[in-house]
Structure formats: C-alpha cells, structure tokens
C-alpha cells in the first residue's frame, strides 16, 4: 500500500507548455505539501493545504497553481513552463496537531525536465 | 527569520567510521525536530524525531540524535557507518505551526 503517491514519475516537456502533477495520500492526514528539490538537493516548500484550505504559499511564481479537491489529494498545475522549473517535485503529507506538525511522509517525486 | 543550518555539506567516511552530522536552528521557543534520509534516487524518509522527553533519541538503522536546547542543536550520530548509509541527510525543524523548515542537507559518502 503506497502511503503517498505521485504521478507521473517523470515528465519531459518543452518550454511554454502547461503540465500537471497529481498527488494522493491514504494516511488520513489533514495537511499536504508541495516541495521543489533543485539539482543541489535543496528542498524548498512551495505550498501547503490543511483540510483543502491553502495555508502556506511561499514566493512561488503564479504560473504554479495548486488545487486540493479533498483532503487526500493535492495537485500542482504549472503554466508556461520555463527552463528553471526543471527539478524534482515532492508531495508530502502530515498530521498537524496543537503542538505542531508530526513527521512528513513523502511521495516518490516527479522529475520534471523542461527542454 | 527561523532557519536551520547543517554545517557539513559533504562528508566522506570509510566503513566502520563514526558519524556526527551537525544541525543548528534559530528559534527560541518549543520545537519539533526531525532527521530525514534520502537514498540515491529515492524520496525522503524519517530517521528519527524529537518532540519532548529524553533528549537522546534513537532512530532506525542505528542512528541517534541528541537535542541540546542551550545550543539550539540536534546533531545526528552513528557509531559505525556502512556503505549502505551513503545518502543525503536533512535536518528539519517545526516550530509549532504548519511549516517545517529543512536544512540544506549533508551528502554522506561511505567508502567500502
């Protein structure tokens, strides 16, 4: 049973195209995240949703638009792809309590290559 | 602004050597602390976590970490590394809200 799944695993596309990445978690968590990991392995938070509500929106170009149809899903749509968008995108989920967020469970990642 | 510093960006060790990876954070309040590992080509997985209680935390695969509040540190240790420990290691800090801040990572290479 995969806890956090993402599709597709690899995405190769031309500059200017629009693409989407899907994420689903079956852990019953109330919070989901999107991270971007660059070639130097630096992990940067992009967005976070709690119970379908946008909680964290870091300084990300508005070409990136997350959508959470329900607590178990968080999708990422990217318009007008640029070379600099090439990276690995990780989805994650966690349960957030009054004391803060518990451990995050990460998906397998989507390697996006923009040509 | 809150931040997490991992001092060693690259570490190379021989098998059976002892490991200590440094992690410091900047936040004066209560924190939840994590170490994650990312094996080559894989996603991040939890090694261990600290919320409260005994500041010496034991995790999977023989790893442990010690929380020293006065030093704002949460260093990761393993007495004897194996070739299979070659990976990227991330320290992460949650300060009570939704956001968890990750350090820049330490790449460990263990020579067989």
């Amino acid at each position: 049973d995969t806890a956090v799944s993402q599709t597709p695993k690899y995405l190769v596309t031309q500059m200017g195209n629009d693409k989407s990445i899907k994420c689903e978690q079956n852990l019953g968590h109330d919070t989901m995240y999107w991270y971007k990991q660059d070639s130097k392995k630096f992990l940067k938070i992009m967005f976070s949703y709690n119970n379908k509500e946008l909680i964290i929106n870091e300084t990300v170009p508005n070409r990136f638009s997350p959508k959470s149809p329900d607590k178990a899903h968080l999708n990422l749509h990217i318009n007008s792809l640029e070379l600099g968008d090439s990276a690995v995108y990780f989805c994650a989920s966690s349960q957030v309590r009054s004391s803060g967020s518990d451990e995050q469970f990460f998906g397998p990642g989507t390697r996006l290559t923009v040509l | 602004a809150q931040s997490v510093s991992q001092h060693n960006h690259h570490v190379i060790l021989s098998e059976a050597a002892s490991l200590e990876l440094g992690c410091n954070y900047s936040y004066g309040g209560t924190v939840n602390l994590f170490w994650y590992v990312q094996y080559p080509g894989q996603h991040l997985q939890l090694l261990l976590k600290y919320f409260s209680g005994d500041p010496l935390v034991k995790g999977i695969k023989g790893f442990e970490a010690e929380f020293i509040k006065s030093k704002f540190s949460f260093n990761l240790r393993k007495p004897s590394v194996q070739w299979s420990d070659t990976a990227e290691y991330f320290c992460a800090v949650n300060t009570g809200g939704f956001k968890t801040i990750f350090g820049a990572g330490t790449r460990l290479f263990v020579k067989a």
Side-chain angles (χ1 to χ4, degrees), chain A residues 46-110:
Chain A
M46 299 174 70
F47 302 103
S48 175
Y49 273 75
N50 173 257
N51 287 319
K52 302 193 299 177
E53 184 182 341
L54 182 65
I55 298 295
I56 295 173
N57 184 355
E58 294 291 289
T59 46
V60 177
N62 58 15
R63 297 182 294 103
F64 290 79
S65 51
K67 278 194 174 56
S68 181
D70 56 57
K71 274 186 1 175
H73 295 84
L74 179 61
N75 304 324
L76 184 66
H77 187 77
I78 316 170
N79 289 325
S80 303
L81 278 155
E82 299 177 358
L83 293 177
D85 298 332
S86 295
V88 180
Y89 292 83
F90 285 101
C91 176
S93 73
S94 74
Q95 191 63 30
V96 178
R97 311 176 203 286
S98 57
S99 57
S101 174
D102 206 336
E103 69 174 283
Q104 295 185 27
F105 289 78
F106 286 80
T110 296

Side-chain angles (χ1 to χ4, degrees), chain B residues 75-97:
Chain B
N75 292 354
L76 181 71
R77 299 195 290 248
K78 185 170 183 178
S80 175
V81 294
Q82 302 172 311
W83 176 80
S84 57
D85 292 324
T86 293
E88 192 91 18
Y89 292 82
F90 294 91
C91 180
V93 177
N94 174 271
T95 58

